[in-house]
Amino acid sequence: MTLKETITIIIIILISIITSELFLPKPKNRKPVIKCTLDTVTIYNPTVSQCDDTPLITASNDTIDLQNFPRNWLALSRDLINSKEFNYGDTVYIYLDSVPIQMIIKDTKNKRYNNHGDILTKNKKLKLWKNV
């Protein structure tokens, strides 16, 4: 391949990237940004001792695949889900140690918790964050 052909291909690729981003359809029904502070964020494992008798089925009726483990699933307390501000499938950002982490709401915490979040993980080491 000649230098001229390579440059032509690069220009075509750049033009297609630029035009595709300019003319992408704008998302409809985009939810407004909601800022809130959770009292506590913890981690949980999909086990009977930490969940219910079907630990691999989330409250959103999604199945946890242990072979292809989801890295960004979050459970919220029922008061937050019932507020209608947050729904299963919503993408949220939580800031842990000032680092934003993108999460998808897939599960619900036990009814005894309020204003809490729980990150699904395989990691057995417990972790807790306050005022997230």
Side-chain angles (χ1 to χ4, degrees):
M1 185 179 302
T2 68
L3 180 60
K4 185 177 179 182
E5 291 171 331
T6 304
I7 291 172
T8 302
I9 291 172
I10 291 172
I11 290 172
I12 290 170
I13 292 171
L14 287 174
I15 289 172
S16 68
I17 290 171
I18 291 168
T19 57
S20 67
E21 290 192 12
L22 289 175
F23 297 106
L24 282 176
K26 301 292 183 237
K28 296 178 183 175
N29 301 327
R30 190 168 211 172
K31 290 184 79 171
V33 174
I34 299 166
K35 293 184 179 183
C36 70
T37 300
L38 299 176
D39 293 338
T40 306
V41 172
T42 54
I43 63 170
Y44 78 104
N45 310 115
T47 61
V48 171
S49 64
Q50 293 185 32
C51 299
D52 57 14
D53 59 346
T54 56
L56 298 179
I57 307 291
T58 66
S60 63
N61 213 23
D62 288 288
T63 302
I64 300 168
D65 181 353
L66 296 177
Q67 302 305 316
N68 189 17
F69 201 83
R71 297 177 181 255
N72 62 341
W73 286 12
L74 177 72
L76 284 182
S77 53
R78 293 168 195 266
D79 61 319
L80 295 171
I81 296 291
N82 291 338
S83 74
K84 304 295 184 196
E85 296 289 336
F86 301 98
N87 297 296
Y88 299 123
D90 285 354
T91 299
V92 296
Y93 288 90
I94 59 173
Y95 290 80
L96 300 178
D97 303 324
S98 299
V99 177
I101 300 172
Q102 184 176 349
M103 305 296 293
I104 301 171
I105 301 170
K106 293 287 187 173
D107 212 348
T108 306
K109 288 188 63 128
N110 187 290
K111 62 185 172 187
R112 70 178 175 264
Y113 294 101
N114 285 311
N115 201 31
H116 281 234
D118 222 0
I119 299 171
L120 177 66
T121 183
K122 275 186 178 179
N123 185 353
K124 299 295 182 190
K125 183 179 177 187
L126 296 178
K127 182 105 176 168
L128 178 135
W129 297 267
K130 291 284 191 179
N131 299 316
V132 176

